[in-house]
Amino acid sequence: MPDNNRRDFLKGAGAVAAATTLPLSVVELAFADPAQNFTFAYISDSHIQHVKGTQFVRNWDRGLIRAVAETNLLTPKPDFVMFGGDLAQLGTKEELDHGAEMLAKLNYKTYMVMGEHDYYLDLGEYWSKLYGPHYYSFDHKGVHFVVLNSILTFDDWTYNRWPTAKQRMLEMAGLDNPNGSPFMVGDKQRQWLAKDLEKVDKATPLVVFSHSPIQKIYKGWNFWTDDAEQVQALLKPFAKATVIYGHVHQIQYNQIDNITFNSVMATAWPWPYPQSYAQAEQHLPKLTVPMNRANPFFERDATGWQFIDVATGKVAMKYNLYNNTNRVVAFDPATGKPLDSAFQDLAKQIPPQVHY
Ligand SMILES: [Fe+2]
Ligand SMILES: [Fe+2]
């Protein structure tokens, strides 16, 4: 695809696309052989929330409905759709069913990632009935894709700490709740991943999808994966490795060794930039420019969609913010890092926003 040629990409999308910029991600893998080129769409963090009876929080519904509608209208058509987790808010059957009903309108094969809001009521049991295994891998046109369930935590916290499943969910669902527990991929899944990657040629582009970041960004808000280093060690042998994650509801990027990290936005709401606890351990890289937005209380200010171009095996994230200035975060071969070139000047960066 030409550089962020959103108009061409959306031609045929008609009035819906013309009127709105919708929360979804479009990913293009452009290889030397044009026949291998393909795109996929990425939708994440819809947080479908049940109120009562047949009533659900309308704004979150609208975010997902619009993403699905636009994905269906894309030209060229994506080969498949990723959903990045947190389909539901509190993991109930009502929420998961309602979300599934909306996702069922997608005209494409859809791959699902588990989010903590989907998981901690029944530990993913109902989600599995709808979508199958919590972690898996697949190959598509020369790229190896891995989907991880990165939102697991300590057994003691999961099984012994809380009197009810509902309370467990509520504790884990809070953004800055000190009763929450750090996310992790865990031993069993890391062993599976090691075995899965054994058979993959190390020159094959590798794209890992997770819900939490597979890096340690900010512990106070669980923008954090406790065994991140151990997972990263498994990705290190690959010449071209990328992790794309949801959960943080904002634009982030980072480079650790050969692994590039990029986040996607939510269809529900943006989070402000982490800064609640002065004492909280945080590793937010300077390079990670806060989203170019001013108002975390305006729920559409920083939702949006993006092209992700992986032409060289490294990603160029082209974020189209619904109601704010578009952004590009592209891997820069000269520095070996992802850069938001328009915002490298510190004076242009928006300072972190306080979370109340
Ligand atoms: Fe989320
Ligand atoms: Fe999440």
Side-chain angles (χ1 to χ4, degrees), residues 209-287:
F209 297 112
S210 61
H211 185 67
S212 63
I214 317 294
Q215 54 176 332
K216 291 173 168 172
I217 297 175
Y218 188 76
K219 199 168 189 177
W221 293 8
N222 230 348
F223 290 4
W224 191 270
T225 305
D226 226 41
D227 53 355
E229 293 90 347
Q230 287 145 285
V231 178
Q232 290 166 16
L234 299 173
L235 311 185
K236 250 180 219 173
F238 287 82
K240 294 168 179 173
T242 303
V243 175
I244 299 176
Y245 58 94
H247 182 61
V248 295
H249 299 209
Q250 62 189 241
I251 295 170
Q252 296 178 344
Y253 54 90
N254 197 12
Q255 182 76 28
I256 300 176
D257 300 323
N258 63 313
I259 309 163
T260 306
F261 294 84
N262 290 94
S263 67
V264 293
M265 292 180 290
T267 65
W269 67 81
W271 284 125
Y273 218 47
Q275 221 204 14
S276 288
Y277 307 127
Q279 306 305 320
E281 191 178 350
Q282 68 157 298
H283 302 266
L284 213 55
K286 188 127 192 164
L287 189 63

Side-chain angles (χ1 to χ4, degrees), residues 42-47 83-92 95-96 111-125 127-128 131 133-135 147-152 169 172-173 183-184 209-213 222 245-249:
Y42 203 113
I43 304 170
S44 196
D45 290 85
S46 56
H47 289 264
F83 187 86
D86 287 353
L87 175 62
Q89 172 64 10
L90 294 175
T92 63
E95 290 175 353
L96 289 167
Y111 293 97
M112 301 294 291
V113 180
M114 179 75 81
E116 81 278 17
H117 289 260
D118 305 318
Y119 183 77
Y120 277 98
L121 185 63
D122 66 355
L123 306 183
E125 201 182 315
W127 188 96
S128 275
Y131 303 118
H134 297 182
Y135 54 91
V147 175
L148 295 177
N149 176 4
S150 65
I151 54 77
L152 302 173
M169 169 55 92
M172 197 59 113
F183 295 140
M184 57 190 69
F209 297 112
S210 61
H211 185 67
S212 63
N222 230 348
Y245 58 94
H247 182 61
V248 295
H249 299 209

Side-chain angles (χ1 to χ4, degrees), residues 334-345:
T335 56
K337 292 175 180 177
L339 284 180
D340 184 346
S341 51
F343 288 86
Q344 288 307 293
D345 178 358

Side-chain angles (χ1 to χ4, degrees), residues 56 88 90-99 121-122 126 130:
F56 292 83
L90 294 175
T92 63
K93 184 176 184 301
E94 286 88 349
E95 290 175 353
L96 289 167
D97 279 343
H98 190 54
L121 185 63
D122 66 355
Y126 190 66
L130 297 172

